[in-house]
Amino acid sequence: MKFFLDTANLDEIKAGAALGMVDGVTTNPSLVAKEGKDFRTLVGQICEVISGPVSAEVVSTDCEGMLKEARELAKIAPNIVVKLPTIPEGVKALKILAGEGIRTNLTLIFQPLQALIVAKAGATMCSPFLGRLDDIGHDGMGLIDEIRTIYDNYGFATEVLAASLRHPLHVVQAAKAGADIGTMPYGVFSKLLDHPLTTIGLERFLSDWKKLKQ
Ligand code: E4P
């Protein structure tokens, strides 16, 4: 499974990249707004740090507006993936952009038919938001299972990007469910390698080593 950082914060992205564990980045309008910087400049800077896919989202809700924004975003860097909302106008735009070779990530997916439709239309990635489903008492991880089954049944190449991951267990469960990608905030990402027994075990090895007369 690929690990994406779900942030528009350059410091977090640089810190993640330094560990060599970040395969890509997802942003959304809320994350970009938090940074208070010019959108295009910020996305360009992210693409300089991360060579893998960087999702940048349109804010138009009509097909023409989305196409215009998508074509502009795609010019920023070769690794841009244009994020489109999963609404009828978004699917119209997706088909046209797929024909132009522009990669897309269909976002705000909450049920399996949305994922089936965007895969049929040629989406590069689909983003089921499992944490937001969990938040309202639905089975977020079950959605990943359903999408995985549907995509495997028909051999769709669209990547399943498990989004809205809230904690490391979500990452484990998404990996077991066969998600191609997991995108997570830096706070979750930074805990992926942690285990208290690893920390304690290393401390003990090092203190025992110091006792050795050399
Ligand atoms: C994915 O691309 C989204 O940006 C993100 O995962 C949404 O997560 P949230 O529900 O924590 O806002």
Side-chain angles (χ1 to χ4, degrees):
M1 182 168 76
K2 289 177 244 181
F3 294 149
F4 283 11
L5 273 181
D6 193 31
T7 180
N9 182 281
L10 267 178
D11 291 336
E12 291 181 346
I13 292 167
K14 284 179 187 164
L19 288 175
M21 283 166 39
V22 178
D23 301 302
V25 166
T26 50
T27 67
N28 64 40
S30 307
L31 293 171
V32 171
K34 261 200 331 208
E35 299 306 310
K37 296 181 182 164
D38 174 70
F39 177 40
R40 287 179 57 93
T41 309
L42 180 58
V43 168
Q45 289 168 336
I46 295 172
C47 290
E48 280 169 20
V49 180
I50 297 291
S51 57
V54 173
S55 288
E57 188 160 343
V58 302
V59 288
S60 297
T61 52
D62 64 298
C63 178
E64 277 315 306
M66 288 185 204
L67 291 175
K68 192 164 174 283
E69 281 186 64
R71 289 170 184 143
E72 285 304 313
L73 288 171
K75 282 184 204 154
I76 296 176
N79 51 330
I80 286 285
V81 176
V82 176
K83 230 172 168 187
L84 301 168
T86 306
I87 56 175
E89 290 294 294
V91 174
K92 261 163 71 180
L94 151 63
K95 279 192 174 175
I96 296 166
L97 293 170
E100 294 176 11
I102 293 178
R103 291 187 295 167
T104 53
N105 172 0
L106 272 286
T107 191
L108 291 167
I109 290 198
F110 292 101
Q111 52 100 335
L113 289 174
Q114 292 175 320
L116 172 57
I117 289 165
V118 304
K120 285 178 65 174
T124 313
M125 300 166 188
C126 85
S127 289
F129 278 30
L130 65 95
R132 291 195 193 183
L133 281 170
D134 286 1
D135 289 346
I136 60 161
H138 287 231
D139 179 12
M141 208 54 69
L143 176 59
I144 305 290
D145 280 329
E146 288 180 295
I147 297 173
R148 183 73 276 157
T149 301
I150 292 169
Y151 282 11
D152 289 349
N153 281 349
Y154 296 99
F156 287 121
T158 303
E159 290 187 287
V160 181
L161 192 166
S164 188
L165 300 177
R166 303 258 194 260
H167 46 70
L169 186 56
H170 267 161
V171 182
V172 174
Q173 291 168 332
K176 285 165 79 175
D180 299 290
I181 306 161
T183 192
M184 65 207 83
Y186 187 77
V188 175
F189 173 85
S190 61
K191 293 185 188 128
L192 296 184
L193 271 176
D194 284 358
H195 195 285
L197 289 181
T198 306
T199 312
I200 293 166
L202 181 60
E203 279 167 7
R204 192 171 302 154
F205 283 156
L206 295 178
S207 76
D208 287 345
W209 184 254
K210 276 188 196 151
K211 293 174 201 155
L212 178 69
K213 299 254 181 298
Q214 298 190 73

